[in-house]
Amino acid sequence: MTTYPCPNPACDGRRRTGQYLCWDCWDALPAPARTQLSRRDPAARARLQLLYRQLQAGVPPQRIQIEPIGA
């Protein structure tokens, strides 16, 4: 199975195709952020970009906030 580096710069974990983060980082996200990132709608890509921007800015997964986008 092909794996890729976790996009969290502070993590050495690996993620599989279709996963946004490795399991450890995903589990560290607050429940509301996981809920928003799990939604499949036209705003899904924008929420994913919010996640990656926050990680690149050094925000730890436990403090990530993903606000609802769209209806």
Side-chain angles (χ1 to χ4, degrees), residues 37 41-53 66 69:
L37 290 165
D41 61 15
R45 184 176 302 263
R47 288 189 295 272
L48 180 59
Q49 289 173 343
L50 287 172
L51 169 67
Y52 289 158
R53 277 192 222 123
I66 307 294
I69 298 173

Side-chain angles (χ1 to χ4, degrees), residues 7-22:
N8 179 359
C11 178
D12 292 328
R14 306 287 293 176
R15 65 183 176 95
R16 294 186 313 220
T17 301
Q19 290 180 317
Y20 296 151
L21 302 170
C22 71

Side-chain angles (χ1 to χ4, degrees), residues 12-67:
D12 292 328
R14 306 287 293 176
R15 65 183 176 95
R16 294 186 313 220
T17 301
Q19 290 180 317
Y20 296 151
L21 302 170
C22 71
W23 284 113
D24 290 336
C25 289
W26 181 260
D27 287 344
L29 290 174
R34 286 195 311 267
T35 299
Q36 287 300 313
L37 290 165
S38 296
R39 292 181 60 203
R40 301 290 183 245
D41 61 15
R45 184 176 302 263
R47 288 189 295 272
L48 180 59
Q49 289 173 343
L50 287 172
L51 169 67
Y52 289 158
R53 277 192 222 123
Q54 289 181 64
L55 289 170
Q56 290 301 315
V59 177
Q62 303 87 329
R63 304 193 77 201
I64 296 285
Q65 294 183 1
I66 307 294
E67 298 300 323

